[in-house]
Amino acid sequence: LATDMCLSQLPRLLSSQPYVHTTFFHEHLSAFEVWLRFGHARHEPPDLLPIVLQALLSQVHRPMALAHLSQFLAMGSPMVAQAISIGIVPYVLKLLQTPTDLRDVLVHIWTRILTVDMTCQADLIREGGHVYFMGVLADEHASPLLRAQAAFVLSVILQGGQDVCHRCHLHAACVNQLDDPSPLLRKWVVLCLAKYWRDFPKGKEACAQLNVIQKLSARLAEEPSVEARAALVYAMGTFLSGEEAIPSGDLRRRIDYAIPVRVAPLIYDGSLLVRREVLVALHCFLMLNLKPVARHLGGETTLWQLLDAAHHPHHPYFLPSALRAPGGSAAQPVPPGSAGAASADTPRSSAGTSP
């Protein structure tokens, strides 16, 4: 019927009369809106979803279709999985080239998609989607929630696109958000930094030159949010993990020894999440500086006892006390060995859900 209505206008178009848009998409979008309000209670998949995706191709119906899709995806992971199964990704991927008036709903849709299927980050990298979300993150006029969602999307992209984000100076955009009033945004930009330099020497070197660790340490001293505080400790511990850190030298020694000094006092933090991240960060420090720490503690046997005790929840204060001299005063840092130092990566990723 809709095709017949369109074809019936051919004589009018040949006589230079204006084209009258079909009501097909408007009617089906209205029906989908009714399903969103009442039909979802039956837990039955909507038959109208493929038509809603086709409506994205029309500039006239695109805003309404995106708004309905955003509502649909917000209903939970099963709805997101269904939308992915019928091919929503190619549609919303092309829409990243659209004007900024659709930006809010697009960021929300991509946040939902990547929460369920992180493999879609490969499509974003291929199409240059990281540039789009970096623009959202750097926009001071965007809401804190929107920028936090953009930081979440970028943290997923970083799992396979550290190099492309490095070329776009993602770390600088994240550092500029560290003092934002929103704790949600502060948490996600810090987690984004952690993903950026994890097992990525070029990222660690770039952040070291910008004194990012010092800025995180300053933020840690005054951070009131528990989740943001845990994210800061996690990021600083991640800086010490991996196969290799920044090149050897005075800068590396200052950073390597500044991190445990900053995070160790938080072993007395009231949050279990923060205390756990402190233990992991101190473990990364020990594994990166095995020989110097073993030499200071008087032998490798003592060191391995320390590392073993760190895995037991009944010894929450063991590692910080090990960083002190026998007399109770803070031990002077020993420069790390230049050869043969072992390293270990923490088999853990940032916990939490998308904003």
Side-chain angles (χ1 to χ4, degrees), residues 252-273:
R252 172 177 172 176
R253 284 194 292 270
R254 287 200 303 269
I255 293 177
D256 284 358
Y257 285 92
I259 290 177
V261 170
R262 291 292 186 179
V263 303
L266 288 174
I267 199 66
Y268 303 104
D269 193 276
S271 169
L272 176 62
L273 178 63

Side-chain angles (χ1 to χ4, degrees), residues 242-297:
E243 293 297 327
E244 55 179 309
I246 61 175
S248 300
D250 292 337
L251 180 60
R252 172 177 172 176
R253 284 194 292 270
R254 287 200 303 269
I255 293 177
D256 284 358
Y257 285 92
I259 290 177
V261 170
R262 291 292 186 179
V263 303
L266 288 174
I267 199 66
Y268 303 104
D269 193 276
S271 169
L272 176 62
L273 178 63
V274 175
R275 296 200 302 270
R276 187 187 70 174
E277 296 298 339
V278 170
L279 287 176
V280 175
L282 293 172
H283 172 265
C284 293
F285 168 75
L286 289 174
M287 297 302 293
L288 191 64
N289 300 274
L290 275 176
K291 287 189 175 181
V293 175
R295 192 163 54 245
H296 173 72
L297 294 175

Side-chain angles (χ1 to χ4, degrees), residues 228-252:
R229 202 158 60 245
L232 285 164
V233 179
Y234 166 76
M236 296 171 75
T238 306
F239 194 91
L240 296 175
S241 66
E243 293 297 327
E244 55 179 309
I246 61 175
S248 300
D250 292 337
L251 180 60
R252 172 177 172 176

Side-chain angles (χ1 to χ4, degrees), residues 9 95 125 221:
Q9 298 190 59
L95 291 180
I125 295 173

Side-chain angles (χ1 to χ4, degrees), residues 218-231:
R219 180 71 244 177
L220 182 63
E222 56 187 24
E223 179 56 62
S225 169
V226 170
E227 291 188 356
R229 202 158 60 245

Side-chain angles (χ1 to χ4, degrees), residues 314-335:
H314 300 295
H315 301 277
Y317 309 116
F318 196 78
L319 280 176
S321 63
L323 293 177
R324 295 183 174 273
S329 59
Q332 295 297 322
V334 180

Side-chain angles (χ1 to χ4, degrees), residues 6 23 45 70 126 132 188 335:
C6 294
T23 59
S70 180
R126 186 181 64 252
Y132 182 90
W188 280 106

